[in-house]
Amino acid sequence: MAAALGAELAERRLEWRRTPLDVPLLLLVVLVLVQWAVGNGPLARWALAPPPSTPELTAAFPTPWLAVGAVAPAQTLRALLLFVLYAAVYYLVVHHVRTRRQVTRLVRALLSLGGLLAVLGLLEYLTGETWFLAWRDHPYRGRLSATFVNPDHFAAWLAMLISLGFGWVIARGRDARRASSLAELVASRELRAEAARRWLPLLGVMTMLSALILTLSRLGVLGLSASLLVLLLLLGALGRTRRSRAVSGVLFVVATGYGSWLVFEPILARFRQGQPGALDRWGQYVSALPMLKDFPVLGVGLGGYLEIYTRYQPLGDRPLEAWYAYAHNDILQFVLETGVVGAVIGAFLLWRLVADLVGAHLFGVGTCPVDGGAGDTARRSDSLSVGVALGALGGTVAMLTQSLLDFAVRIPANGVLVATLLGLATVALHTRLVAGRERLLTAVRTLDLRGRAWLPAGTFAVAALALLAGWSAFAVRTAIVDAPLERLRLSASPADVEMVLAVDASNQTALLARARARQDAAWGAWTGQTGSADERRRAALALVADGRADLHAALRVAPTNPLLHHYLAWLEAMAGVVEERTGPAALALPLAHAARALALAPDNPRLYGSVARLAHASLRPLSLEAAREGIRHGAELLPELVDLFRPIGLAEAEWLALVPDSALDLLDLATVLEDRRLVGPSLAAYRAALEAAPVESRPLYRWMLALALLGSGQAPAAQAQLEEALRTDGRNPELHRALGATRAARGDADALDSFRLALAAAGERARVRPIPPPFLVRDERLIRIAQRRTGPNWEEPARYHRAFARYLVERTLWEQATPEWQRLALDDPKDAEAQFGLGLALDGSGLASGALEHYRQAVALDGAATPYRERLAQRLWDGEQFSQAITEWRTVKGQAPKNLEARLALARAYEKLGERLDALSEYGEILELQPDHAGALQGLARLGARKR
C-alpha cells in the first residue's frame, strides 16, 4: 500500500478504479467503526456497579439494543484491522494488476507458492522428517499441514488454489498452439515450452490435491467438491466443455483417486467421526443464536464472539473449561457480530458480487453496476478472462463452503488468498485482456493533485499511514506478546506478565495473572509471622488494592469475561477476611461479582459451587440454592459440596434441599451421605428418591434402600423392601442375593434358598448374550450410582456364586462350599479370594494339606491381604514348618502393626521355640499398644518377667 500510494503521489495523481464491492465494503467499515465508537459503556458500568441491597444468585444482564456497539472494543478494532487488510489486498490486485502479463504472473506466483508448500508438506509427511518446516510446532500428528497450524485451514488454502489452477488450465488450453504429432513436439522448442506451460500447472494442481487429501480434512474435501461442482456447472452453462477440459477432468479424477487410495481408510474414518467432529457443531450454532436476540441491531461487535459466548455456552460444551473463540461457522459468526445491519450489508455484498461477475460478465444478464456495460457488451468471452475468473470464483465457493462449518476465513493466510482471488476475478471480468491492447471496462475516478486537491489526498495518505501503523503495531504485539501469553496460560511468571503489559497495558490475561499473584502475596503477608497484626494487615490490604485495580482495568476492557468477575469476588472476600469484617454485609461485594460471573456463564457448575462456598457460613439459604443449581448443572460437584456443608450440621430437610428433586439426584445424594456415615440423612434421601422414582426403576431404588438399611443394622426393614421389590421383579438375581444376605444377618435359615434362587436367576440370564444386567435400566448415571455398591461386573454369574460360597463358609457347610469355591477358582485362577475360600473349605473338611497349597496361592496373588497370611502362618505352624510360619507373621506385623492377634501368635511362636528375648520383646510391644492385654500378660508371667 505504501509503495502504491507513493507511486501515485509521485505522479501527482490519485486514481480509483470502481468495483462492485466498493459500496458494501465501505458500509461494513462504517458499521464496524460505529460499533467501536458506541463501545461497551453499559456493560462496563454494570461490571463495576455497587452491590445490590439484597444478595442474588444471578445478576440481571443488561442487553440494550443500541447502547452497546462492541462488547470488547479493543478486540473489535483488531478485527477491523484484519478485515481492512483483506479489503486492501483486494484493492491492490484490482488497481495494480492491469495487463494480461500481470494476471499471468500473479496466477503463476500463487500456483507456484501452493505447489511449493504442498511439496514441503508431502516431504515432511511421507518421510517423517521435520527439518523442512522446523520452525513451527505440529499439534496434529498424522495429518499434513505444511506451515499451517491446523490441517483443515491448510486444506482450505489448497482447495482455493486447486480451483484457481483448474481455471488456469482451462484458460491456457484454448489458445495454446499444439503440435500435430509427437515428432513435431520434440523438434520444436517453442512447442515444448508451450506444452510445459500448459501441463506443468496441472502437475502442480495434482500435487496440491494429494497434499489436500493427506490433510485428512473433511471440510477441505467438501469445499473442493463444491468448488469443482460449481466450476463444471458454469462451464457447462457457458458451453465450454471441450476435449482439453475432458482430459483435465480425467487427470483430476486420477489424482483424486490416487490420493484417496493412499489414505482411503483414514479419511473415511474422519468422515465417520462423531464427537468432537464437524457435525457436532450444530449444538454450538443453536446455542449461539440467542446472542442475536440480545444484540439484534449492531451485534456484539466484530471479533467480539469470544468475549460473550460463555453467556450462551451450553453445559455439554464445558463452559469456562473450554473457551470457544470462534463459532466454527464464519457466516453465522459474522451475523452475530454485526447484527441485522451487518447481515443485510453482507447479503448485499454477495448479491452484488454474483450479479456483476457471474450475471453481467459471464452470462451477459443485467447491467454492470460500475459502468462495465450491459448484456453482450459486458459479457467476457476470451479464454484467459473466463478461465481465471471461473477458477477464482470456484476458490471463493470452496472458502464459503468451508466457512459454513469452520473459521478458515479468520486465518489471515486464507483471508488474504480469498481477497486476492476476488481481485483476480474482478480484474479478469472488467478488463479486455488482449495482449498489448488491454482496456479497462469500468469507470475510473481520478484526482489531480493541484492546489486544494492536496487536502483529500493528504487525508487519504493519513488514513493509509494510520492503517500501516495499526498493522505494524498488531504485528509487533503478536511477535512480542504471543509467546509470553502462551506461557501465562500454563504458569504465571512475573517477567512474562510485565513483558506483556509493557506492550499491551490492557491485556486481560496478563492483568488477571498479576492480580492473582498479588492476591496470593496478600494472603501470604496476612498469614505470615513477621510484624504485628496491624503491619501485616496494611501490607495485605495494599496488595489487595493493587490486585483490585488490575481486575477493574481488565473489566473495563472485557466486562463480559466471567473469570474476571469470579476472581474479583474471591479477592473481595479475602479483603473482608483481612479487614475482619463478618456477617452478610461483608459478602455483599463478593457475592455481587459472583452473581455477575453466573450471569455471564449461567451453565457453569463450578461458579455455582463458588457462590455456595462464599455464602455457606453467613447466608445458608443462598448457599443451598447455589449448591442445588450447581449440582443441577454438574452432578460431579455433589461430594465436595456435601463435605462443605457437613461440618455445619444440616437438618434432613436441608440435606434434601441440597439437590434437585429428581430421583437420580436424590439417590446420588443418598450414596454420598452413606459413604460419609451420615445415616439418618442418607436413609431420608433414599426414601425420597424411591418416592420420586419412575415405576419401572423402583426395584433398583428399593434394593439401594435395602442395602443402606442393612448396613445401618435395620435388617427387618431391609427385608421388607427387598420382598416388595421381588413382587415386581421376581427373577432378579441381585434382589435374591441381597435378600439372602439380609436373612443371613437375621440368622434366618431361608437365606440358603434365597442364594440358590439368585444362582438360578443368574444362570438363566447367563444363557443370553450379552448377559443382561440384573436391573433393566438404561440411564447411564443411574447404572454408575448402582455399581458403586456392586462393582462394574454386576451381571456376571460369578458374583452370585461368590456370595453363595461366602454364606456356606460362614455357616461351616464345608462340603457344599468346596465345589462353589472350586468353580470360582477354575473360572479365574488369579482370583485370590477364590483360592483362599477353597483353602478354608478344604481345611474345614479335614483336608489340611490341600488347604495349605491354596493358602499359598492366595498369598502369592494378593500379598497385601493380612487375613490370608495369618491363616497360612497358622497352618504352617500346625504343620511344624516353624520358620516359614514366623516369616509370615513378621510380614503381617510389618503390614499391620496394630494387628495384636498376629503379634501374639508371633510372640508365642518365639516362646515355644525358646527364643526368650524375642518373645519378651513381642509381648512388651503388645502391652505398649494395649496395656491390659491378657495374652501378653500371661506370656510374660510364663517367662518369669514383669510388665515394664
Side-chain angles (χ1 to χ4, degrees):
M1 279 190 65
L5 179 61
E8 292 193 358
L9 291 175
E11 294 177 0
R12 295 179 175 272
R13 181 186 181 200
L14 292 180
E15 181 180 282
W16 184 265
R17 296 188 170 197
R18 293 187 61 196
T19 76
L21 301 187
D22 291 348
V23 175
L25 287 178
L26 179 61
L27 289 174
L28 282 174
V29 171
V30 170
L31 171 62
V32 179
L33 287 174
V34 169
Q35 289 179 324
W36 176 74
V38 173
N40 62 357
L43 296 179
R45 289 190 293 274
W46 170 80
L48 297 173
S53 56
T54 303
E56 53 190 356
L57 181 59
T58 303
F61 183 73
T63 54
W65 281 24
L66 292 173
V68 174
V71 296
Q75 186 67 30
T76 296
L77 187 60
R78 286 193 288 270
L80 175 62
L81 281 172
L82 184 61
F83 172 72
V84 175
L85 172 64
Y86 297 166
V89 171
Y90 169 76
Y91 280 114
L92 283 173
V93 173
V94 170
H95 282 251
H96 299 283
V97 177
R98 304 185 178 190
T99 66
R100 185 184 186 93
R101 188 175 184 183
Q102 289 171 340
V103 169
T104 300
R105 283 179 172 177
L106 179 56
V107 172
R108 285 177 178 170
L110 291 172
L111 295 180
S112 299
L113 179 60
L116 174 64
L117 288 194
V119 168
L120 288 175
L122 285 168
L123 286 173
E124 181 186 57
Y125 180 86
L126 296 175
T127 63
E129 298 291 336
T130 58
W131 63 269
F132 298 107
L133 306 169
W135 62 84
R136 62 96 178 91
D137 295 329
H138 194 336
Y140 293 86
R141 295 294 175 188
R143 298 177 62 192
L144 188 149
S145 64
T147 58
F148 284 68
V149 174
N150 191 323
D152 292 315
H153 300 154
F154 184 44
W157 193 80
L158 289 173
M160 288 189 283
L161 287 180
I162 290 169
S163 179
L164 177 64
F166 196 42
W168 178 246
V169 171
I170 294 169
R172 298 293 298 170
R174 183 167 184 169
D175 299 331
R177 287 181 55 197
R178 291 179 174 80
S180 58
S181 65
L182 180 61
E184 183 183 0
L185 177 65
V186 172
S188 172
R189 180 179 179 181
E190 182 181 350
L191 289 175
R192 289 199 305 272
E194 185 62 38
R197 283 194 294 270
R198 188 167 67 251
W199 295 110
L200 279 178
L202 186 60
L203 179 61
V205 168
M206 289 190 290
T207 304
M208 286 188 282
L209 179 60
S210 297
L212 186 150
I213 295 295
L214 288 168
T215 63
L216 304 184
S217 172
R218 299 162 295 185
L219 297 178
V221 172
L222 185 64
L224 179 60
S225 301
S227 165
L228 296 182
L229 178 61
V230 169
L231 202 155
L232 292 173
L233 288 175
L234 290 175
L235 277 174
L238 292 170
R240 289 178 174 264
T241 305
R242 296 180 46 156
R243 187 176 69 86
S244 60
R245 281 64 164 182
V247 171
S248 301
V250 169
L251 290 173
F252 211 79
V253 169
V254 169
T256 305
Y258 177 68
S260 299
W261 174 72
L262 283 175
V263 285
F264 188 71
E265 179 54 34
I267 201 167
L268 278 183
R270 290 271 302 154
F271 270 100
R272 290 193 298 264
Q273 178 182 332
Q275 290 189 346
L279 296 178
D280 139 86
R281 294 171 184 166
W282 177 254
Q284 186 180 350
Y285 305 156
V286 172
S287 65
L289 285 175
M291 197 184 299
L292 190 61
K293 179 183 176 183
D294 290 343
F295 302 91
V297 180
L298 297 177
V300 298
L302 192 67
Y305 177 90
L306 78 163
E307 299 291 349
I308 191 66
Y309 179 61
T310 53
R311 172 166 167 75
Y312 309 93
Q313 191 170 343
L315 184 61
D317 285 344
R318 296 173 296 132
L320 218 61
E321 296 174 21
W323 206 273
Y324 289 84
Y326 304 101
H328 287 84
N329 184 322
D330 280 326
I331 296 172
L332 173 64
Q333 185 169 341
F334 175 78
V335 173
L336 296 174
E337 290 180 348
T338 59
V340 173
V341 177
V344 172
I345 296 174
F348 174 52
L349 185 150
L350 289 176
W351 174 82
R352 200 88 184 269
L353 194 67
V354 173
D356 179 59
L357 298 184
V358 179
H361 294 294
L362 281 179
F363 292 98
V365 178
T367 302
C368 175
V370 288
D371 300 330
D376 289 338
T377 60
R379 185 174 183 178
R380 309 300 305 124
S381 58
D382 59 286
S383 61
L384 182 66
S385 294
V386 173
V388 169
L390 286 177
L393 290 174
T396 306
V397 169
M399 176 55 68
L400 281 174
T401 303
Q402 184 148 347
S403 292
L404 289 171
L405 291 167
D406 202 2
F407 54 94
V409 79
R410 306 261 171 172
I411 305 304
N414 288 329
V416 166
L417 180 56
V418 77
T420 305
L421 294 183
L422 286 174
L424 265 174
T426 302
V427 169
L429 294 176
H430 287 95
T431 310
R432 184 172 284 118
L433 293 174
V434 179
R437 292 180 292 132
E438 292 87 354
R439 186 167 70 88
L440 181 66
L441 301 179
T442 58
V444 178
R445 293 179 179 176
T446 60
L447 178 65
D448 289 329
L449 300 182
R450 298 190 185 96
R452 294 184 179 179
W454 280 98
L455 183 60
T459 303
F460 182 76
V462 168
L465 290 173
L467 280 175
L468 287 173
W471 289 329
S472 301
F474 187 75
V476 170
R477 176 190 172 278
T478 300
I480 297 176
V481 168
D482 274 9
L485 274 179
E486 285 300 320
R487 292 195 292 270
L488 282 182
R489 292 184 178 95
L490 300 175
S491 62
S493 162
D496 287 336
V497 170
E498 296 306 325
M499 179 184 293
V500 172
L501 291 175
V503 178
D504 183 4
S506 61
N507 186 281
Q508 56 180 297
T509 303
L511 287 170
L512 174 59
R514 189 166 69 179
R516 295 187 66 186
R518 286 171 168 173
Q519 180 179 354
D520 293 341
W523 186 249
W526 171 243
T527 57
Q529 301 299 320
T530 58
S532 66
D534 287 339
E535 290 173 340
R536 294 199 308 271
R537 181 178 293 107
R538 282 194 297 271
L541 289 177
L543 289 166
V544 166
D546 291 339
R548 183 186 294 120
D550 283 338
L551 290 173
H552 283 192
L555 281 171
R556 291 187 189 97
V557 176
T560 56
N561 186 332
L563 268 178
L564 297 176
H565 289 280
H566 170 72
Y567 286 113
L568 183 53
W570 282 100
L571 180 69
E572 297 293 357
M574 192 191 76
V577 172
V578 174
E579 294 174 355
E580 297 182 348
R581 289 183 277 116
T582 58
L587 292 174
L589 192 53
L591 287 175
H593 283 292
R596 291 164 196 166
L598 276 173
L600 296 167
D603 281 331
N604 186 276
R606 291 287 169 187
L607 292 182
Y608 288 102
S610 182
V611 175
R613 288 182 179 81
L614 282 170
H616 83 282
S618 303
L619 296 168
R620 188 182 297 185
L622 179 63
S623 181
L624 286 172
E625 181 186 358
R628 183 185 182 93
E629 288 303 312
I631 293 166
R632 186 193 307 279
H633 287 83
E636 68 277 3
L637 286 182
L638 179 59
E640 58 189 80
L641 289 176
V642 167
D643 292 335
L644 174 70
F645 289 102
R646 185 179 180 184
I648 298 177
L650 299 181
E652 286 186 2
E654 289 178 313
W655 280 119
L656 296 181
L658 184 66
V659 299
D661 294 330
S662 73
L664 262 177
D665 287 304
L666 289 165
L667 185 66
D668 203 357
L669 172 66
T671 59
V672 173
L673 292 172
E674 184 183 4
D675 290 341
R676 284 151 179 77
R677 303 182 187 279
L678 298 172
V679 177
S682 170
L683 291 177
Y686 274 121
R687 291 189 173 98
L690 178 59
E691 290 178 6
V695 174
E696 63 275 10
S697 300
R698 285 190 176 178
L700 188 148
Y701 283 81
R702 289 190 184 278
W703 167 72
M704 292 284 289
L705 173 58
L707 293 183
L709 289 167
L710 182 61
S712 63
Q714 303 179 50
Q719 184 170 336
Q721 291 293 336
L722 291 169
E723 288 172 348
E724 180 64 28
L726 281 167
R727 291 190 186 95
T728 305
D729 191 4
R731 299 302 299 167
N732 188 314
E734 188 59 36
L735 291 176
H736 285 294
R737 186 208 62 78
L739 181 58
T742 304
R743 285 174 167 169
R746 301 185 65 188
D748 190 342
D750 290 338
L752 188 62
D753 294 334
S754 293
F755 283 118
R756 284 175 173 160
L757 286 171
L759 282 176
E764 291 177 7
R765 289 172 178 262
R767 289 191 285 270
V768 180
R769 288 290 183 272
I771 302 174
F775 296 97
L776 299 179
V777 292
R778 296 182 179 180
D779 190 289
E780 291 295 328
R781 184 183 170 198
L782 179 56
I783 292 173
R784 288 196 300 271
I785 293 172
Q787 287 180 338
R788 292 178 195 168
R789 297 293 177 261
T790 64
N793 300 319
W794 63 345
E795 74 281 357
E796 294 295 332
R799 169 177 173 78
Y800 305 101
H801 284 283
R802 189 182 305 277
F804 184 42
R806 288 171 181 165
Y807 173 77
L808 294 172
V809 167
E810 290 171 2
R811 295 299 179 271
T812 66
L813 300 173
W814 307 117
E815 293 183 0
Q816 297 180 55
T818 300
E820 292 297 329
W821 286 117
Q822 284 176 335
R823 176 193 179 100
L824 291 167
L826 287 173
D827 288 344
D828 184 4
K830 294 184 179 181
D831 185 341
E833 185 187 7
Q835 296 292 341
F836 183 70
L838 182 54
L840 288 176
L842 293 173
D843 211 349
S845 302
L847 302 173
S849 58
L852 183 62
E853 182 58 32
H854 289 289
Y855 291 146
R856 290 184 189 275
Q857 292 185 40
V859 169
L861 292 169
D862 186 3
T866 55
Y868 299 174
R869 287 192 182 275
E870 285 187 84
R871 189 74 177 188
L872 173 60
Q874 188 59 52
R875 284 296 168 261
L876 289 169
W877 183 264
D878 294 342
E880 298 184 354
Q881 300 181 45
F882 304 130
S883 177
Q884 294 182 44
I886 289 174
T887 299
E888 294 299 332
W889 274 317
R890 283 176 175 169
T891 302
V892 173
K893 175 186 173 181
Q895 291 176 340
K898 294 184 179 180
N899 188 330
L900 299 185
E901 294 303 317
R903 283 178 173 271
L904 184 63
L906 179 59
R908 286 172 176 170
Y910 284 140
E911 180 183 351
K912 190 168 184 67
L913 294 177
E915 302 289 343
R916 186 174 183 277
L917 292 178
D918 289 334
L920 288 173
S921 175
E922 289 297 331
Y923 285 132
E925 290 178 6
I926 293 171
L927 291 173
E928 287 177 2
L929 294 171
Q930 184 178 332
D932 59 348
H933 193 281
L937 292 171
Q938 293 170 5
L940 288 177
R942 286 195 301 272
L943 293 173
R946 294 181 179 179
K947 177 182 176 183
R948 290 177 290 178

